[in-house]
Amino acid sequence: MYSWSEALTLTSASAWDELFTGLHGASRISVPDREAPWRARLEWQQSTAYGVALCAGGREVVQRETRHIRSDPRGTYELLVPLAGTAWVEQGPSATEIRAGSMVLCDIDRPMKFAHDADFLSIAFIMSGENISARSRIAAAEPQLLGAERGLGRIVRQLTTTLHEEREELSERTFDLACDRLLDLVCLAAEGGTDTAPAGQRATVEAAVRRYVRQHACEPDLDVVAVARALGWSVRYVQQVLQDAGTTARDLIRRERLNAARERLAGPGWASYSIAQIAHSCGFGSHASFATAFRAEFGTTPSEARRRRAS
């Protein structure tokens, strides 16, 4: 399907509901007074894989709940790019305010609440989750706020706006190709490619990552993907934060596993366990790799460390 609409103006809130849910998925829409005069504007272009929609309407609250998702699953993400006014997005444990100068990326198949003022004007870039997963490991359990005033975020905002403005000049193939390039940049921005997070925020993320790794180091499947997913950050952003701190997720996990192993080798509660069993309990796949890493980290072998603590 490839379709577009030219500056459609609506004077009925009910007609708006039908068009809005057709584009964004089944939802419960609340407006202050459905009998009051209503005026809204909607322009969109949509292919099988992508959609771009400009929306302007009266004050409203949109709630997409679990029952809506079950009845109308979309498998899509949306990047909401405000041009004027203010809106609020709640998803998972987070609530985010957006206005011109910021953007938010949301998984439409997770329960969410969206509210905006009467003067809110925005463009939504709609993309399939399959296209995102082919490029990135973004896990949007909650809205991801992206800056749009400088750097990569500003480029994403400008391309989204230009794509909407030039939509009628594009064939379906050209439209999809342009959306492909825009999606590449959205994924990069969502993974921390903007490099605009303040130092204080990066320090907070680093501390959270170190704490999580310390608490879960002995889980055999722990890796940077699991850490990022658990903490709600992108993989690339976690990697960047650790790189700035002079380490990597692999090194951090290995070091914490070795610290746990050294404590267990010295602990009386683990005296009946073999060194291989302790290595396995700390997340190491083989005794040999554990022994090599232990000696490189502490300058002694696991056997020597156990004997020294026992003497």
Side-chain angles (χ1 to χ4, degrees):
M1 179 183 66
Y2 190 58
S3 59
W4 63 90
S5 175
E6 176 70 23
L8 183 60
T9 300
L10 305 172
T11 56
S12 163
S14 297
W16 169 262
D17 292 355
E18 182 177 351
L19 280 173
F20 185 93
T21 56
L23 276 172
H24 304 285
S27 308
R28 178 162 58 90
I29 301 178
S30 305
V31 300
D33 184 0
R34 286 193 170 270
E35 302 303 321
W38 176 270
R39 189 174 181 83
R41 174 184 168 203
L42 182 63
E43 301 172 1
W44 78 91
Q45 185 122 328
Q46 194 169 19
S47 69
T48 302
Y50 296 102
V52 177
L54 179 142
C55 298
R59 187 158 55 95
E60 65 180 353
V61 177
V62 179
Q63 290 182 276
R64 183 159 162 81
E65 301 167 349
T66 302
R67 61 188 177 91
H68 298 124
I69 296 167
R70 281 200 298 262
S71 66
D72 185 20
R74 291 297 173 116
T76 57
Y77 281 68
E78 291 193 16
L79 178 72
L80 191 60
V81 182
L83 304 180
T86 304
W88 299 265
V89 180
E90 296 180 15
Q91 191 171 46
S94 296
T96 300
E97 179 181 288
I98 54 172
R99 59 184 70 201
S102 61
M103 306 175 290
V104 67
L105 178 67
C106 297
D107 182 349
I108 296 303
D109 281 350
R110 294 180 182 270
M112 64 182 297
K113 181 179 180 180
F114 168 66
H116 63 77
D117 289 335
D119 62 346
F120 188 64
L121 173 67
S122 67
I123 298 176
F125 176 44
I126 305 167
M127 62 214 92
S128 78
E130 290 183 356
N131 280 340
I132 285 185
S133 62
R135 292 168 167 81
S136 173
R137 293 186 178 181
I138 294 171
E142 55 189 67
Q144 295 195 26
L145 185 65
L146 308 176
E149 293 184 319
R150 60 180 178 145
L152 183 57
R154 183 181 179 189
I155 294 173
V156 168
R157 182 183 188 276
Q158 290 177 335
L159 284 179
T160 303
T161 303
T162 302
L163 184 60
H164 167 72
E165 292 172 348
E166 300 298 323
R167 67 195 186 283
E168 292 188 22
E169 304 300 322
L170 306 177
S171 66
E172 180 175 8
R173 179 176 179 275
T174 305
F175 177 76
D176 279 349
L177 287 172
C179 289
D180 282 340
R181 302 290 79 78
L182 176 55
L183 177 55
D184 289 338
L185 296 178
V186 170
C187 289
L188 182 59
E191 291 181 346
T194 55
D195 198 27
T196 57
Q201 176 176 302
R202 285 179 173 250
T204 300
V205 174
E206 181 192 346
V209 170
R210 289 182 180 276
R211 183 169 55 251
Y212 186 87
V213 170
R214 189 161 50 248
Q215 294 171 346
H216 300 270
C218 295
E219 297 174 5
D221 295 329
L222 185 68
D223 60 12
V224 66
V225 176
V227 173
R229 183 179 294 118
L231 297 177
W233 296 97
S234 71
V235 171
R236 184 169 297 181
Y237 184 52
V238 170
Q239 290 171 330
Q240 284 186 338
V241 168
L242 293 178
Q243 181 179 352
D244 290 347
T247 188
T248 65
R250 173 180 288 184
D251 288 343
L252 189 61
I253 292 168
R254 177 182 51 79
R255 192 173 301 116
E256 291 296 337
R257 284 175 173 171
L258 289 170
N259 287 334
R262 183 167 63 169
E263 292 179 5
R264 292 180 182 183
L265 286 168
W270 290 84
S272 62
Y273 289 81
S274 69
I275 292 176
Q277 288 174 322
I278 289 177
H280 182 74
S281 75
C282 293
F284 289 92
S286 73
H287 184 188
S289 64
F290 164 66
T292 300
F294 193 95
R295 182 161 193 163
E297 183 72 14
F298 303 119
T300 187
T301 67
S303 298
E304 292 169 345
R306 171 169 267 186
R307 286 196 300 268
R308 188 178 301 122
R309 293 298 179 94
S311 60

